[in-house]
Amino acid sequence: MATTAQLFEEPFDADEYIERLAWRTPGGGSKGGAEGFDPKKLLEEFENHIEELKQLDERIQRKVEKLEQQCHREAKEFAHKVQELQRSNQVAFLHFQELDDHISYVATKVCHLGDQLEGVNTPRQRAVEAQRLMTYFNEFLDGELRSDVFNNPDKIKEAADIIQKLHLIAQELPFDRFADVKAKIASKYHDLERQLIQEFTAAQRRGEIGRMREVAAVLLHFKAHVRETLETRPTELEQYLKNLYDLYTRTTALAAKLTEFNLGSDKHTFLSKLIKSIFSTYLDSYIDMEQQYLQTRSASILQRYYDSKNHQKRPLGTGSIQELKERIRQRTNLPLGPSIDTHGETFLSQEVVVNLLQETRHAFQRCHKLSDPADLPKNAYSIFLLLVEHLCVDHIDYALEIGLSAIPSADAKTANLYFLDVVQQANTIFHLFDKQFNDHLMPLISSSPKLTECLQKKKEVIEQMEVKLDTGIDRTLNCMIGQMKHILATEQKKTDFRPEDENNVMIQYTTACSKVCAYVSKQVERVRRSMDGKNVDTVLTELGVRFHRLIHEHLQQFSYNYMGGMLAICDVAEYRRCAKDFRVSLVLQLFDTLHALCNLLVVAPDNLKQVCSGEQLTNLDRNLLHAFVQLRADYRSARLGRHFS
């Protein structure tokens, strides 16, 4: 077997190599083949083969050494070439740096020269442009447009550029001297704008997209209708806010219609950006304008109302002294100041309230549309505070203060109890206020932290007004009782219940009783007209209890003979009939008991104990029963104390 390097190529297996060498040697196999196994031949073959391998190894080693020498030589040559290339590269870099410095120097010179040329050319161009505009301006001054640019329909783009510049210049001119030319320029401005819009519309109908793009590019430099309307802001903020709301609403409606067309995947974002670019300046200052308008308008509505009444608003005191007076007045019902005569005027006007609520409702609508969603609750709350200030404080609360000051003292001989009218109107007004709160404010703040602040503010307002209403009603009830006292003191005579001729007395109620009942019935009706809901029963219960107490104490001031006692019973029966108008079970029960007490004035002495044990009197205090028995004229002579005990 020839010994070559190919025999040792991978993968190499030494055992396999020996086996192949043995099998190929005659007599070297395990059975020796036909010749039989000959170990000497195999040994000889192995030794010869080993010698060949040594020779092969020497040849290969010499070849490796030769290749290594060649590799070292080529490596040195390559390193030498690299060094030469590096030196060449450094030389080239130095040349490039010199060239770059030279280019920078030349560029600086060129820029400087360009600046000098521009410095000379720009004023010249401006002067030429100014001269050209002055020429066109003179044509407007003369009233005759001779230039071809204004008369040739094909030059509408150039005419539009000129008229835009003249329009801007005209805005800076004084109105008194240039009113005529300003009007002519404005007219031509709008005329060209209208022509461009018509051209755009015609191109759109013809499907000429390119022409539409050209016309739109020219129209882009014109003020759209929005700026023309809003930048020439009227002195009336109301009109400005109406215009802003109307224009913004119409624009957003137009954008909604445009979304139906294929404007790209981000058409909503695109349209929103367009709208923002048009209205952002006005929307940023919207809420300030709204607050300023509401403040001025609301104050004007109130002032006009008070002027119509020839009323100068009284300054309501503030500070610790006033607060102390208010607390004393609430706890003691003392006037703490001179009572004023308002001649029955409540100083509450539903017309004023409707106007204030209407202005606020419009403000809420504008706020909802014009406010950024993030600022909507805050802006709505600021509008609500203005409503509270003008409606609740400046109008309702002021009327309650005036009404409280006008309530006469309880011992006044005559009293105009018009505070109930104030209560009635205040309740009606507050219902309207509450309806607007729920219908127009709540939807704007329901999902924001401002809801808590609004509810808290509303609660404070309600509580403040309820305190004053309760105080006024309480003092009014005292005045009613005072009027009843005055009637009784004037009309009730001591001899009414001790007639000298008992046989000629006709059984009927006294004049004092008749007048008191007439007065009470009238006041009950007034309370029903002035109150609503559970407030009616609450006030009538309090009035009925005080009415009963008055009659009870009044009857204990007299001495009664038999016929006088019968007359007292008739009076109480009439009072009880009057008490039925209250429709309050407690009041009727009190007068039923009083009627039973009056029976003690006429019952036979022997029956006193039996009457006192009756159903209506058995639970009463014995001292109270005894007090009524003592009112009998025969108390001492008949020794009624003995029967009573």
Side-chain angles (χ1 to χ4, degrees):
M1 182 177 62
T3 303
T4 62
Q6 284 79 7
L7 293 174
F8 301 98
E9 292 180 354
E10 294 294 336
F12 175 76
D13 188 344
D15 293 337
E16 183 181 355
Y17 180 79
I18 297 298
E19 284 294 332
R20 280 187 290 154
L21 181 60
W23 279 102
R24 292 182 181 182
T25 302
S30 58
K31 298 188 182 292
E35 301 176 359
F37 177 69
D38 188 351
K40 292 182 178 181
K41 288 185 177 181
L42 183 60
L43 176 62
E44 183 181 356
E45 183 64 26
F46 278 170
E47 291 175 346
N48 293 335
H49 196 73
I50 289 171
E51 188 63 30
E52 290 178 0
L53 288 176
K54 289 181 179 179
Q55 294 175 1
L56 178 62
D57 180 60
E58 291 175 357
R59 290 197 302 270
I60 291 175
Q61 188 63 34
R62 287 194 297 271
K63 187 176 182 179
V64 169
E65 291 175 355
K66 183 179 180 180
L67 290 174
E68 286 179 349
Q69 292 174 358
Q70 183 180 354
C71 182
H72 285 304
R73 186 171 56 253
E74 290 179 355
K76 289 180 180 180
E77 293 176 356
F78 181 76
H80 181 69
K81 289 181 180 180
V82 170
Q83 290 176 354
E84 290 180 351
L85 289 174
Q86 286 180 342
R87 286 193 294 269
S88 299
N89 184 55
Q90 289 177 353
V91 173
F93 180 76
L94 292 174
H95 287 305
F96 176 77
Q97 196 169 29
E98 291 176 359
L99 179 61
D100 184 59
D101 293 340
H102 187 65
I103 291 174
S104 298
Y105 175 77
V106 174
T108 302
K109 291 293 185 181
V110 171
C111 290
H112 179 66
L113 180 60
D115 291 339
Q116 289 180 329
L117 291 174
E118 185 178 5
V120 174
N121 188 52
T122 300
R124 178 180 173 277
Q125 288 181 339
R126 290 177 180 173
V128 171
E129 180 68 15
Q131 183 182 15
R132 190 167 68 99
L133 291 176
M134 289 172 65
T135 301
Y136 295 130
F137 188 80
N138 284 334
E139 293 185 14
F140 281 98
L141 277 175
D142 297 339
E144 183 180 357
L145 300 180
R146 298 178 296 275
S147 298
D148 181 59
V149 70
F150 291 124
N151 299 300
N152 189 344
D154 296 332
K155 295 185 177 181
I156 189 171
K157 182 176 180 180
E158 184 180 351
D161 179 67
I162 295 170
I163 200 64
Q164 289 169 28
K165 295 175 181 177
L166 290 177
H167 189 262
L168 291 174
I169 294 172
Q171 302 300 317
E172 305 298 328
L173 298 176
F175 182 81
D176 53 348
R177 293 178 55 192
F178 297 95
D180 186 51
V181 70
K182 285 165 68 76
K184 291 177 182 178
I185 292 175
S187 176
K188 190 63 177 178
Y189 177 92
H190 294 300
D191 182 57
L192 284 174
E193 185 180 23
R194 184 171 58 256
Q195 292 180 38
L196 288 167
I197 293 173
Q198 291 173 352
E199 177 63 23
F200 182 87
T201 304
Q204 188 268 335
R205 291 173 179 171
R206 295 192 299 266
E208 298 177 355
I209 305 299
R211 180 57 179 165
M212 291 171 62
R213 187 179 292 110
E214 293 177 6
V215 177
V218 178
L219 275 172
L220 185 63
H221 300 288
F222 277 79
K223 291 183 178 179
H225 179 63
V226 173
R227 296 181 186 176
E228 186 72 17
T229 304
L230 297 179
E231 285 189 354
T232 56
R233 185 175 301 168
T235 55
E236 288 291 336
L237 275 175
E238 179 182 16
Q239 191 60 45
Y240 169 76
L241 291 170
K242 286 182 178 179
N243 290 341
L244 178 59
Y245 176 77
D246 177 64
L247 291 171
Y248 188 78
T249 302
R250 289 164 53 193
T251 304
T252 51
L254 175 62
K257 292 181 179 179
L258 290 176
T259 56
E260 300 174 3
F261 299 96
N262 185 15
L263 302 178
S265 58
D266 60 343
K267 54 187 175 182
H268 294 284
T269 304
F270 171 70
L271 292 172
S272 298
K273 288 182 177 179
L274 285 180
I275 295 175
K276 186 175 182 180
S277 66
I278 297 173
F279 288 97
S280 60
T281 303
Y282 312 106
L283 296 182
D284 289 343
S285 61
Y286 154 69
I287 193 59
D288 295 331
M289 298 295 181
E290 188 72 79
Q291 289 175 314
Q292 181 181 348
Y293 167 69
L294 271 182
Q295 183 73 32
T296 305
R297 178 63 175 162
S298 300
S300 174
I301 291 173
L302 290 172
Q303 189 58 49
R304 188 167 63 245
Y305 167 71
Y306 294 120
D307 289 344
S308 69
K309 299 294 182 181
N310 294 320
H311 175 73
Q312 181 68 34
K313 286 194 73 173
R314 300 174 59 197
L316 300 179
T318 57
S320 57
I321 297 179
Q322 180 65 22
E323 292 174 359
L324 177 61
K325 287 184 177 181
E326 181 64 24
R327 288 197 296 269
I328 295 175
R329 184 176 67 181
Q330 292 174 9
R331 296 185 180 183
T332 64
N333 282 320
L334 295 176
L336 293 179
S339 177
I340 64 173
D341 187 2
T342 62
H343 305 286
E345 177 60 57
T346 63
F347 291 104
L348 288 172
S349 168
Q350 287 200 16
E351 180 182 358
V352 168
V353 173
V354 169
N355 288 337
L356 291 175
L357 291 175
Q358 185 175 18
E359 293 292 348
T360 310
R361 177 169 58 84
H362 291 158
F364 282 135
Q365 290 175 345
R366 290 191 291 264
C367 178
H368 188 198
K369 195 71 175 179
L370 302 177
S371 295
D372 185 272
D375 296 331
L376 176 59
K378 177 184 66 176
N379 293 348
Y381 180 65
S382 66
I383 293 174
F384 172 67
L385 291 182
L386 287 173
L387 177 63
V388 170
E389 175 187 348
H390 292 100
L391 176 61
C392 299
V393 177
D394 290 347
H395 193 55
I396 302 178
D397 192 69
Y398 177 76
L400 293 179
E401 284 288 343
I402 296 296
L404 287 173
S405 301
I407 297 177
S409 61
D411 57 354
K413 294 183 179 180
T414 59
N416 182 6
L417 304 180
Y418 89 104
F419 189 81
L420 292 179
D421 298 332
V422 176
V423 174
Q424 178 186 11
Q425 294 184 29
N427 284 334
T428 301
I429 291 171
F430 198 80
H431 285 317
L432 296 175
F433 169 79
D434 191 56
K435 183 176 183 351
Q436 184 167 93
F437 182 92
N438 294 324
D439 293 349
H440 296 96
L441 177 60
M442 285 293 289
L444 307 184
I445 61 171
S446 58
S447 58
S448 76
K450 285 294 179 183
L451 174 62
T452 303
E453 294 184 45
C454 287
L455 292 174
Q456 181 62 31
K457 187 65 178 179
K458 179 185 173 186
K459 180 182 178 182
E460 292 175 2
V461 171
I462 293 175
E463 290 177 349
Q464 290 174 2
M465 288 198 292
E466 284 182 343
V467 167
K468 293 179 180 179
L469 287 171
D470 290 345
T471 301
I473 292 172
D474 185 65
R475 292 174 60 190
T476 299
L477 295 181
N478 284 342
C479 287
M480 290 180 180
I481 299 300
Q483 291 295 295
M484 297 179 203
K485 280 184 179 180
H486 179 70
I487 294 173
L488 292 173
T490 304
E491 302 294 335
Q492 197 84 72
K493 300 178 176 57
K494 291 186 177 181
T495 57
D496 286 346
F497 301 113
R498 293 192 66 174
E500 295 180 358
D501 187 359
E502 297 187 13
N503 295 325
N504 293 328
V505 175
M506 299 183 64
I507 304 301
Q508 61 181 0
Y509 46 82
T510 64
T511 302
C513 173
S514 175
K515 291 186 176 182
V516 167
C517 288
Y519 179 81
V520 170
S521 297
K522 182 179 179 181
Q523 302 312 314
V524 169
E525 186 61 30
R526 287 192 67 181
V527 170
R528 292 194 184 281
R529 289 197 310 266
S530 304
M531 307 291 171
D532 58 2
K534 295 181 179 180
N535 293 330
V536 176
D537 291 340
T538 301
V539 175
L540 287 181
T541 298
E542 184 63 25
L543 177 61
V545 170
R546 297 186 189 188
F547 173 41
H548 166 266
R549 185 185 305 120
L550 172 66
I551 300 302
H552 185 277
E553 293 174 353
H554 173 71
L555 292 175
Q556 289 184 315
Q557 299 176 11
F558 301 93
S559 176
Y560 302 85
N561 58 21
Y562 178 77
M563 288 307 300
M566 294 300 293
L567 191 58
I569 291 175
C570 291
D571 274 4
V572 174
E574 184 64 14
Y575 290 136
R576 184 174 61 176
R577 185 196 63 77
C578 180
K580 291 181 180 179
D581 295 339
F582 287 75
R583 302 173 195 169
V584 177
S585 58
L586 173 62
V587 176
L588 189 60
Q589 181 182 350
L590 289 174
F591 277 96
D592 285 342
T593 303
L594 182 61
H595 188 269
L597 282 172
C598 288
N599 287 330
L600 298 177
L601 301 176
V602 297
V603 70
D606 294 337
N607 295 331
L608 274 175
K609 185 174 295 187
Q610 179 183 355
V611 172
C612 290
S613 302
E615 180 181 354
Q616 291 182 321
L617 300 181
T618 185
N619 294 325
L620 294 182
D621 185 81
R622 303 293 290 178
N623 293 328
L624 176 61
L625 299 176
H626 194 190
F628 257 82
V629 173
Q630 287 179 324
L631 300 177
R632 293 172 58 129
D634 61 351
Y635 175 73
R636 296 187 180 279
S637 60
R639 296 182 180 178
L640 293 181
R642 170 174 58 84
H643 292 281
F644 185 77
S645 58

